[in-house]
Amino acid sequence: MDLMQWTGIAIAVLVATGLVAVVHWLLTHQLSKVWTLAGYLVKRCRYSAYVAAAAIGVNLSLPSVSEMEDRSLYGPINHALAIAMIIGVTWLATSAAYAVTDAVLAKLADSNGDADRRARRLRTQVRLTRRVVTGVIVVIATASVLFTFDSVRLLGAGLLTSAGVVGIVAGVAAQSTLANLFAGLQLTFGDALRINDIIVFEGEWGRVEEISLTHVTLRIWDERRLVVPVADFTSKPFENWTKHGTEITGTVVLQVDWEVPIEEIRREVGAFVTAHPLWDGRRWSVQAIDVLDGGVQLRAVVTTADSDARWDLSCDLREHLITYIAEHFPEALPRRRTEFIAGDAEAAERALRSEEGEDGRSAVLSAAIGGRGRSAQAPDGALGGGGRRSDASDDSGDDGGDGGI
C-alpha cells in the first residue's frame, strides 16, 4: 500500500475513535444526569468501544484487492482484520449486555433487601440470563471466527449434514454439563432458589451467594464457601428459610426438674421477650413438650423478623433462663433420683457402690436394714431425702422413721 492508502486508514481509525470519544463525553457529562444507564455503559464499554471502532474503521477503509500493489498479502491481511472486527464487536456486545444488567441489578438491590422476594427472584434470573446470553454470544463469535477459514467452513458444511449424529455424541459427552445447565434454569425460573436465600443443605447453614450455569455457591455462617453442583438442588431436599418471607420462629429447649414452677417461668419469659428489641411482636409461648425420666422438658418459642435475629434472641433467652432458674429456683435444676428397695442389703450396696463408690456403703446398709429407703441425687452427686421404714411395728430400729441417707 502507498502513503495515501495508509493515510486513509489512519483517518478512518481516527474518525471512528473520535466518534467514540464524543459519545463517551456525552455519556459522562451530559446524559449521566438524566440517564441512569449512561454511567454503567461508560464503565463497562470504555475499552471495548475503542477496540471495536478501530477494527471497524480499518475494515471500512481497507483498499480493494485491485488497488493493492502486492496482492499476495491482501488475503491474510483481510482475514486478520475480519477476525479482529468480530472479536471487537463481540467484546462490545457483551460489555453492553453487562452494562444493561448492571443497571437492572443495582435498581433491584435498592429494594427492601431480603424481605422483597420479587426483587431477589428477578436478580437471580437476570444474573443467570446474563451468563446464558454471554455464553451464546461467545459461541456465535467463536463459530464466526472459525468459519472464516476455508478448511473449517468445509468441515462445518459436512457437520451440518450429519447434525443428528453430532447432536447425539455431544449430548452424551456433555451429559453432566447439560444436566447442570437445565437444572440451573429450572431452579432460577421455577423460583426454588434465589440470590441471598438462606438455606440449609446437607446440614450446612448458609446464604446463596452465586448461582452460575453449573454451580451454586453458598456462603456459610463462618465465612466458608460451599460450592455445590446445580443438579444436586433438583435431586436432593434442602431447607429454604426465605422461600415466602424472612420471618422465622426460634425455639429454646430446657430440661428441668419436676419441681419447676412452669407459670413463674412463663411469666419471666414473657417479660424478657416482650422487652427484647429483636422480638417482632408476633407471638411467644412456653410449654412442657415432654415428660422424661429425669424431669420435664420445656420449650420456649419466639418469633423474629429474620434468621440472624432468631439466633441472637434464642441465645439471649437461653442464657437468661439458665441464670434465672439457678438464682430463683435452684430446686428446679436437673436432678437424678434413685430408689432402693429393702430386703437385699448386698444388692443395694452394689448399686450404690457403682454410682458413688465405697463412701456410701454404711448409709445403704442402714437404709436397707431399716426397711425401705428413697434418695434423690443432686447434680453434684450428693444424696438427699429420707429413709422410711416399711414396717412401723418394727421397734428394733430408731423411732421416728425419717433419716437422711
Side-chain angles (χ1 to χ4, degrees), residues 193-261:
L193 201 64
R194 302 176 294 263
I195 298 294
N196 284 333
D197 267 350
I198 297 175
I199 69 171
V200 178
F201 181 75
E202 294 188 345
E204 293 286 357
W205 181 96
R207 187 182 292 268
V208 178
E209 187 176 56
E210 182 183 7
I211 301 179
S212 67
L213 296 179
T214 56
H215 292 86
V216 175
T217 303
L218 303 180
R219 185 176 74 250
I220 310 302
W221 65 272
D222 57 359
E223 304 300 329
R224 291 179 294 134
R225 298 299 190 273
L226 181 64
V227 181
V228 185
V230 176
D232 285 1
F233 287 93
T234 60
S235 59
K236 298 179 181 180
F238 63 93
E239 299 179 22
N240 191 335
W241 289 10
T242 52
K243 171 67 175 176
H244 296 292
T246 60
E247 297 84 2
I248 196 168
T249 299
T251 59
V252 174
V253 178
L254 293 179
Q255 184 174 345
V256 292
D257 191 71
W258 292 87
E259 299 182 11
V260 61

Side-chain angles (χ1 to χ4, degrees), residues 39 46 192 250 371:
R46 178 177 302 171

Side-chain angles (χ1 to χ4, degrees), residues 341-359:
I341 305 301
D344 190 351
E346 293 183 358
E349 181 184 7
R350 288 195 300 269
L352 187 58
R353 183 187 304 164
S354 64
E355 294 190 7
E356 290 190 323
E358 298 290 341
D359 296 338

